[in-house]
Every structure is written in structure tokens, then in C-alpha cells.
Amino acid sequence: MIPQEEIEKVAAANDIVDVIGSYFPLKRAGTVYKALCPFHREKSPSFTVNPGRQIFKCFGCGAGGSVIRFVEMYESLSFPDAFRRMAARAGIRVEDEPLSAEEDAKLKLRRRLLSLHAEATEWFHRNLLRTRAAQHARDYLKNRGISAETARSWKLGYAPDSFSAFCAFARENKYSARELAASGLVTWKEETPERVYDRFRDRLMFPICNGQGETIAFSGRVLSAEAFGGKYVNSPETPLFSKGRVLFGMHKTKRPMIDARSAIVCEGQLDLITAFEAGVCNVTAPQGTAFTPDQARLLKQWGMEEVVLCFDADAAGLKAAERSLPALLDMGIAVRVAEMPAGHDPDSLIRQEGAEAFRQVISAAPDYFDFQIDHFTRSPDASAPRAKAAFARKIAESIVLITDPVLRSAVVNTVSGRLEVPQEQIAALLKRQRSAPRTEEDPEPLQKAPPLSPAIRLLCQLIVSCPEARAHFLAQPWEEVLSRLPDGELPARLLRGNHITPEGTVSLAALSPEDQATLAGVLDTSPLPANPGAIALECWRDLERRVIAQERAALTARMRQPGLSEAEVLRLQKQVLDLTQRHTHITRPLSPSP
């Protein structure tokens, strides 16, 4: 935990008006400064900066705090990273506090993984530029209009068609098998875990960077139509990389997006690179085909007012747009859809007709709901009452996601007029959508956390309130166990984070607003047990039993699949037996009953 006196020293050295004014203009209003809030949509400025108290406050959305808190929110940084950035700005040297053995090991692993990814980036890049084996990769880039200068700017690379070339390079540079496994740059077969193989083979390599420009993962594009596997292979989840929380190119395109307050969303890396190099710089790309809630939250924190989706104009592209909508609307971000000319994506349109043609497509992009209606009205049966009713029901599923009541009312009015369906009927459909029970396919509202099981509620309570119990959990294989539980992410974040008070408990103030809200409910409704140490032991045993039961059920279901060989059945039976024995061992009481 950063000492309070250090936080106060850094905050005092950074004038809040100067810092916030470097991001966007502030207008003086008496003794304070005002601006449109960067954290929510508004027409009249309610964002206030008070130089006397050195605080900011938005009276529209409630955001507020010190200069460090502003940088944390605006730049989407952790508090320690925001603190260090402000310390560096003021020329203050920050003394690193002593770390626990576990924290020190994690920090060292993270540094090693960042170093490995940096060296891998350079190695892949040298392969692309210099090796004879990469000629077909260079030819591919040339055919796509990507110059050598652009390839250097984005550090594009080539992974050789080999199972061991990268592994050999990494080992020559003294990286251990544990570090290689944690990096996600290698893979292995279950039968031979001691042997690792290059994950990326004969692929064009795109480094994926964090906001500071450090490589944290890779995306590899296939170069041969006959190659096995998907068109793209991405790094798996690692200590550095969480796919749903990163946007490709964000280290280059974040500032242009903030300045434009608008993001153009491309489907592929080459689309983004071509647009950026052509001067259309407020572009981004999710790591999949649709936005996750965390990615949408990033855009909201960067002040995005609208997103223009540029997915392919085929069935898959339309589906991707539909899947992106809930996350974006929940953040209050307006969504438009740019329909590319037939046979074009952003990359080909810019290369063949120029950046201005692409800008015109973006400028003409209709609102998402108008786009959906346009597609429907072009269908042969658009005038049929049954088809119109079915489409009205479908579009109501999207309208109900709009959180802004004024915007929702405007959309209802537009849909009603264009479909020639009375507003009262649209309103009735929306009411039905709100009251309908949710299915497994229906996402929960993003502002509501999923309910925690009683065991996880107790686990969170013990982690937050009892240092003895927290120490016990940290001594267990908690990452492995919690990663296999659907509601295990919150306690994992609590154990993973460094939010400890001098008394040894967890500081709620250092947690995210969502986690604070969830934990406040847990602590408010559940008093701490009288014997937390003993309860912690039994709580952990219960979680282990849950994980074993899930694994056993999955193996049993797999054994029922037809076509398994006798050897495979015997292997699965042995695994089930081993799990049953482990479950029995955990179920036994810790001490004889009286």
C-alpha cells in the first residue's frame, strides 16, 4: 500500500487545473473551472474543477476526487500506475515499498514476461524483415498495401514454420520453462507436458500492446489457405493479457479517440492499421468480433460519445454488431453502423478509393436502429404483418437496453414511424421485455453483478475482514480453484490485489466501484463469524469439493460420448476414481467428532 503521506505529496505537486486542462479545455466560472464531463454524455457542463480544494466533481454522474483519481479514471489506469505517472510528472522519486514473498514473485514474473514479450516482438520483427523464409509474408503485406515503413511502425513480425524455433530463441535468452508456459507463447500436449511447442507457426504476427505501448500478447494471422487452424490465433489469457479488457492499437489510437470523442471500430488489425496510416486515427478493434463490457467501459472512461461499427456487411458482421450493442448501450454510448460498399472492407476501400471515401462512409453511417430497419425494409416480406410484428419484437429487445430515457423515447418514436406501428404497441413490447424472465442466453444488466453463492460470499467476507483467514487462503492453490468457479472472479481479485490496510484487512476504498458495491452488500448483511479461522478452513474445503464435483461431472458426461476407444474410457474412469478419492478425503472431518 502506498503511504498516505506519499500520496498527499504527489497530489500537492500536481496542480489539478494544469493536469485536467492538459486533457481538454476548461472554462473559468468564478472561483472554479467548468467543462463537459468526460465520463458521461451531457449538453450543459456539470464537470467542475476547484483549484482551491484541488478536487474535481461532476454533479451529473457523481464522479469526483483528487488529481490522481482523475488520471486513474480518465486514462483507465490502476491507482498505483496513476500515482506513479503523477509522481514522474512532478519529478518525485517513488520509493518502492517492501513486498510480501508472493507479491514479489508476481512482480518478478510480470517483469520477466514483459521482457520476454519485448524480445519476442523484436525477434518476430527481424524474421519478417530479414529472413528468406518470410518472403511470402512480405509478399502478402505488399499485396495488402502495407509498406516496410508501416510494418516497422507497428512492429509486425513473422513466426517461422517450426515447432521449436521460438522456444530455442527464448531458452538461449535464459527464459525458463515456467516463464514460457506463463507467457502463452508456447503450448504442449496433455500427454507430454514436459515438452513445449511454439504456439505461433508460419503466421504474420501482430503485437498487442497495453496503453503504455508494452507488448502483452500477440495475434497471428494465417498466410496459407491450406494451413490448419483458424484464420487468427491469439495469445491465451495470461498474467499480462486479458482478451476482453484490451483493444488492439490502443497505445496509438487512444488519444485520437479521446480528442474526437468517437471511435471507429474495425474488425481486423489490418483494417485498423490501414485507416490509421491514412490519417483516420480514431480507430480501434476488439480482440474478437464483439465488444465486451470491459472494453465498452474503457471507451466510456475515455469520453466516447459514439461508436461507429465497421463490421463486414454479411450475416456474421450483422451478428457481431448485435452482440456489441448491449455493452455499448449500457455505457450510454450511441451506436452507428457503417455499411461498406459491396466487396470492400475498410482496408480495401482506403487502398483503392482513398481515405476520403472511407470518411464519407463513416459520416453517412446511420444510427443502429435505422440501420436495422433499413435492412428489414429491403427484405421481400417486409410488408407482411407477421414479419413486421416479428421484427418489432426483435428490435424491442435492443431498444430496452437503452438506459437514457430521453434517447429511448426518441428511438421508440423513430421505430414507430418507420414501421408504421403505434408507439403504444412498441411501449407494450418494451414492458414485456422488461418483465420477461431472463434465459441463459440473455445477459444480465451490466450494472448488476451476478449473485454470489453462499460459500463465495463467506469467502469474500473472510478475505476482507480477517487477516488470519486471508493468509490461509493465500497458502492454498486459490488461483486454480477460483478460476474454475463461475463466481470466483471477485475473491480472486481480492486475493490478487494489494489493497491491505495497516491492520491487515482489505481497504474497500482501493477497489473498483462495482466491487465496493458488491462487498458493501455482503458485509452489511453478514456479520463476521465468531471463529473465523476455523470457518476459513471449512469454507475452503467446501470450494474444493465444488470444483472436484464439477470436474467429475464433466468427465462422466464425456465418458457417455459414442466412439471412444477402450483406452480412452479407461483413462477417463481412472480420472473419475482419482477425483472421487480426493473428494472423499476432503469430506472427512478435520478432527474426530466429540
Side-chain angles (χ1 to χ4, degrees):
M1 187 173 65
I2 303 171
Q4 187 63 36
E5 58 270 19
E6 290 293 322
I7 296 175
E8 293 173 357
K9 178 181 177 182
V10 169
N14 287 278
D15 180 75
I16 195 167
V17 175
D18 290 342
V19 171
I20 297 180
S22 69
Y23 289 100
F24 49 81
L26 295 173
K27 185 176 181 180
R28 191 171 190 99
T31 59
V32 299
Y33 292 82
K34 288 190 172 183
L36 292 174
C37 180
F39 306 120
H40 81 289
R41 297 176 65 194
E42 62 177 4
K43 295 182 178 179
S44 301
S46 58
F47 180 87
T48 301
V49 181
N50 189 317
R53 297 183 178 180
Q54 287 292 300
I55 60 172
F56 75 94
K57 176 67 178 177
C58 176
F59 294 94
C61 68
S66 69
V67 64
I68 301 175
R69 175 59 177 158
F70 173 84
V71 173
E72 178 187 1
M73 293 178 65
Y74 195 82
E75 294 282 4
S76 188
L77 300 173
S78 66
F79 181 83
D81 286 343
F83 168 78
R84 292 187 182 93
R85 180 171 294 189
M86 289 294 94
R89 182 181 185 273
I92 297 174
R93 185 172 180 273
V94 177
E95 296 289 343
D96 291 333
E97 59 178 344
L99 302 175
S100 67
E102 179 195 6
E103 292 167 339
D104 186 57
K106 284 184 179 180
L107 181 60
K108 287 179 179 177
L109 176 61
R110 177 178 175 81
R111 287 172 177 167
R112 289 290 288 170
L113 293 181
L114 284 171
S115 174
L116 173 58
H117 277 77
E119 292 190 41
T121 301
E122 294 298 331
W123 186 73
F124 289 134
H125 188 55
R126 287 196 301 272
N127 288 339
L128 175 67
L129 297 182
R130 301 178 187 176
T131 64
R132 182 178 301 176
Q135 185 59 52
H136 63 311
R138 292 192 290 270
D139 291 341
Y140 174 83
L141 289 176
K142 184 177 180 180
N143 292 334
R144 295 294 299 262
I146 302 297
S147 66
E149 181 182 351
T150 299
R152 290 188 183 94
S153 175
W154 291 84
K155 287 291 183 182
L156 303 187
Y158 172 69
D161 189 7
S162 166
F163 282 90
S164 59
F166 175 75
C167 289
F169 162 79
R171 284 169 173 155
E172 286 174 5
N173 285 272
K174 311 303 182 186
Y175 290 100
S176 67
R178 174 176 174 269
E179 291 165 344
L180 284 175
S183 74
L185 291 168
V186 301
T187 186
W188 57 89
K189 294 181 179 179
E190 291 184 9
E191 311 86 66
T192 56
E194 69 280 358
R195 294 187 61 188
V196 295
Y197 307 91
D198 293 2
R199 179 180 295 275
F200 301 99
R201 300 183 295 277
D202 192 27
R203 289 181 179 263
L204 181 64
M205 300 296 288
F206 296 87
I208 299 172
C209 300
N210 59 19
Q212 288 72 52
E214 300 167 314
T215 303
I216 56 175
F218 290 93
S219 180
R221 191 195 192 285
V222 71
L223 289 166
S224 171
E226 292 76 31
F228 292 102
K231 184 177 179 181
Y232 284 92
V233 169
N234 297 321
S235 293
E237 301 278 312
T238 71
L240 296 181
F241 176 60
S242 180
K243 175 181 175 181
R245 298 180 180 178
V246 179
L247 294 166
F248 178 75
M250 60 192 287
H251 62 300
K252 289 179 177 284
T253 68
K254 176 181 174 181
R255 175 49 54 188
M257 286 192 290
I258 290 173
D259 292 341
R261 304 177 74 88
S262 173
I264 301 169
V265 180
C266 299
E267 196 167 352
Q269 288 99 336
L270 285 176
D271 289 332
L272 181 146
I273 291 172
T274 299
F276 185 88
E277 295 298 323
V280 184
C281 299
N282 59 319
V283 285
T284 188
Q287 298 302 320
T289 55
F291 268 88
T292 67
D294 284 325
Q295 289 169 333
R297 192 173 291 111
L298 270 181
L299 294 183
K300 182 63 177 178
Q301 289 173 348
W302 297 342
M304 294 304 100
E305 295 181 351
E306 72 166 16
V307 157
V308 183
L309 302 176
C310 287
F311 296 144
D312 290 344
D314 54 13
L318 293 175
K319 195 68 177 176
E322 290 178 5
R323 290 200 303 270
S324 295
L325 191 69
L328 295 168
L329 287 182
D330 193 76
M331 288 293 109
I333 299 173
V335 180
R336 296 192 289 133
V337 182
E339 194 164 8
M340 307 289 6
H344 279 298
D345 55 22
D347 171 56
S348 64
L349 181 64
I350 291 171
R351 284 191 290 111
Q352 294 180 25
E353 300 186 25
E356 187 56 35
F358 180 60
R359 289 191 182 94
Q360 290 176 6
V361 170
I362 297 302
S363 178
D367 173 80
Y368 174 85
F369 296 98
D370 282 319
F371 171 79
Q372 288 284 57
I373 295 171
D374 289 341
H375 265 264
F376 170 70
T377 54
R378 290 199 293 264
S379 63
D381 58 349
S383 59
R386 182 173 295 181
K388 188 179 293 187
F391 178 76
R393 285 192 294 270
K394 177 183 177 182
I395 205 166
E397 295 173 3
S398 299
I399 297 174
V400 78
L401 299 171
I402 302 174
T403 55
D404 184 334
V406 176
L407 178 59
R408 186 168 59 243
S409 177
V411 171
V412 168
N413 185 49
T414 298
V415 172
S416 171
R418 294 200 59 187
L419 291 181
E420 299 178 348
V421 174
Q423 290 191 28
E424 295 77 12
Q425 292 186 17
I426 301 292
L429 288 173
L430 297 182
K431 185 176 181 180
R432 196 177 306 160
Q433 285 291 328
R434 295 190 194 99
S435 61
R438 292 185 175 273
T439 66
E440 292 182 0
E441 291 77 20
D442 291 328
E444 284 292 323
L446 298 181
Q447 66 271 26
K448 294 182 180 178
L452 304 178
S453 66
I456 293 294
R457 288 174 63 88
L458 177 59
L459 177 65
C460 290
Q461 184 186 17
L462 292 168
I463 293 171
V464 169
S465 306
C466 179
E468 177 189 357
R470 187 174 188 275
H472 170 74
F473 297 139
L474 286 172
Q476 309 302 321
W478 56 272
E479 287 191 291
E480 177 185 354
V481 171
L482 294 177
S483 67
R484 301 184 183 185
L485 297 173
D487 51 354
E489 181 55 33
L490 176 56
R493 284 198 297 272
L494 295 176
L495 290 171
R496 194 180 296 124
N498 183 25
H499 311 302
I500 311 305
T501 68
E503 295 76 28
T505 58
V506 174
S507 171
L508 294 188
L511 302 175
S512 70
E514 295 84 0
D515 287 351
Q516 289 185 47
T518 302
L519 289 170
V522 171
L523 299 176
D524 187 51
T525 57
S526 307
L528 187 67
N531 52 343
I535 294 296
L537 295 177
E538 186 52 42
C539 176
W540 187 256
R541 285 153 56 89
D542 181 56
L543 293 176
E544 288 185 310
R545 286 192 290 264
R546 281 178 58 188
V547 169
I548 290 174
Q550 289 178 5
E551 292 181 357
R552 189 167 56 183
L555 289 172
T556 302
R558 187 175 173 186
M559 283 182 2
R560 298 194 188 102
Q561 294 179 354
L564 293 179
S565 66
E566 183 177 348
E568 179 70 5
V569 172
L570 289 174
R571 187 177 70 84
L572 293 173
Q573 287 176 340
K574 183 180 184 305
Q575 290 180 347
V576 170
L577 179 61
D578 291 343
L579 289 172
T580 301
Q581 291 174 342
R582 285 175 55 195
H583 191 279
T584 303
H585 176 74
I586 293 175
T587 305
R588 292 172 185 159
L590 294 173
S591 58
S593 301

